[in-house]
Amino acid sequence: KAGVTQTPRYLIKTRGQQVTLSCSPISGHRSVSWYQQTPGQGLQFLFEYFSETQRNKGNFPGRFSGRQFSNSRSEMNVSTLELGDSALYLCASSLVVGLNTEAFFGQGTRLTVV
Amino acid sequence: AQSVSQHNHHVILSEAASLELGCNYSYGGTVNLFWYVQYPGQHLQLLLKYFSGDPLVKGIKGFEAEFIKSKFSFNLRKPSVQWSDTAEYFCAVNNAGNMLTFGGGTRLMVKP
């Protein structure tokens, strides 16, 4: 069974630009979560989607947004990029929502803002 | 808000040494607990998880963890580490939905 697929793997963008990252969950999984990983802040939760609805949102500015499609694929968008947005963005998929579920992570998209 | 603390940021061990990585969390209600590992250049992989029942859980690659509710702890252990265990280890907690709160991570280096 294919794992979580994130595209692209690497991105270089300029300050002020916007970027869209994509995540395809494991087949049958309906929940997708996004995390930002940086050396200084570690792994931080961005948001979670289930059945095309955002269920939870972390403490990030409104420049960070996401959506989920009917096939459970998800995208996250960052507008007006700042240098501090440089990070590894991880997507995780889960079968359902709630306790007693585990998350499977993709390889991540390494975003560099210059 | 819940938080997770991993007290050891960097650990260096020789092969065959025993490993214990500490993890404490702040949430007082029902939680799910996880240990993930991130090998260099690879994605986060689940080592083990605790949902309920026996507080001593066994995971992959010989790792185990013990949930001590009274201490809000979920420490990771391995009796004898190998060079291939060199990686970063993350403790995580989930108390609702699928939102994971991660600890800061522990970088383990095993010397051959």
Side-chain angles (χ1 to χ4, degrees):
Chain A
K1 179 155 89 165
V4 180
T5 304
Q6 292 188 246
T7 57
R9 291 290 310 280
Y10 302 92
L11 266 179
I12 300 176
K13 290 287 188 178
T14 305
R15 265 185 310 176
Q17 288 186 312
Q18 75 163 10
V19 67
T20 299
L21 312 181
S22 179
C23 172
S24 293
I26 292 171
S27 177
H29 284 197
R30 297 171 60 194
S31 170
V32 173
S33 300
W34 289 89
Y35 294 82
Q36 182 196 64
Q37 186 177 20
T38 61
Q41 300 297 318
L43 280 151
Q44 293 186 288
F45 172 79
L46 279 157
F47 27 65
E48 176 203 354
Y49 287 88
F50 180 79
S51 293
E52 302 177 67
T53 301
Q54 187 180 89
R55 287 181 43 87
N56 283 303
K57 190 176 192 305
N59 190 24
F60 279 82
R63 299 185 296 106
F64 291 82
S65 63
R67 59 178 175 168
Q68 186 180 34
F69 302 95
S70 58
N71 62 357
S72 294
R73 191 177 70 84
S74 177
E75 290 180 345
M76 68 163 280
N77 184 276
V78 188
S79 63
T80 319
L81 283 165
E82 301 177 0
L83 295 179
D85 297 333
S86 294
L88 180 66
Y89 289 89
L90 295 171
C91 169
S93 81
S94 303
L95 188 60
V96 293
V97 171
L99 288 176
N100 304 342
T101 62
E102 63 182 88
F104 297 84
F105 284 82
Q107 296 266 35
T109 294
R110 172 81 57 189
L111 171 65
T112 302
V113 182
V114 299
Chain B
Q2 62 190 8
S3 64
V4 180
S5 297
Q6 292 182 241
H7 308 296
N8 314 101
H9 300 294
H10 292 90
V11 173
I12 301 174
L13 295 172
S14 297
E15 273 194 318
S18 64
L19 170 73
E20 180 159 4
L21 301 182
C23 173
N24 287 90
Y25 63 95
S26 64
Y27 187 72
T30 301
V31 292
N32 291 162
L33 298 157
F34 305 86
W35 275 97
Y36 282 89
V37 61
Q38 191 171 35
Y39 298 103
Q42 295 191 26
H43 62 284
L44 277 171
Q45 300 172 42
L46 183 67
L47 268 181
L48 46 79
K49 62 189 182 228
Y50 174 78
F51 289 164
S52 63
D54 189 344
L56 184 62
V57 293
K58 296 193 184 298
I60 61 172
K61 305 186 181 186
F63 286 90
E64 65 178 32
E66 185 176 13
F67 170 52
I68 303 179
K69 190 174 182 180
S70 61
K71 294 184 177 180
F72 299 92
S73 70
F74 189 55
N75 292 353
L76 180 71
R77 299 195 291 250
K78 186 172 184 178
S80 174
V81 295
Q82 301 173 319
W83 176 79
S84 58
D85 292 325
T86 294
E88 190 161 16
Y89 294 80
F90 295 92
C91 180
V93 170
N94 172 12
N95 74 304
N98 290 346
M99 186 184 99
L100 291 169
T101 300
F102 284 89
T106 298
R107 287 186 185 272
L108 171 65
M109 178 183 292
V110 180
K111 298 184 294 184

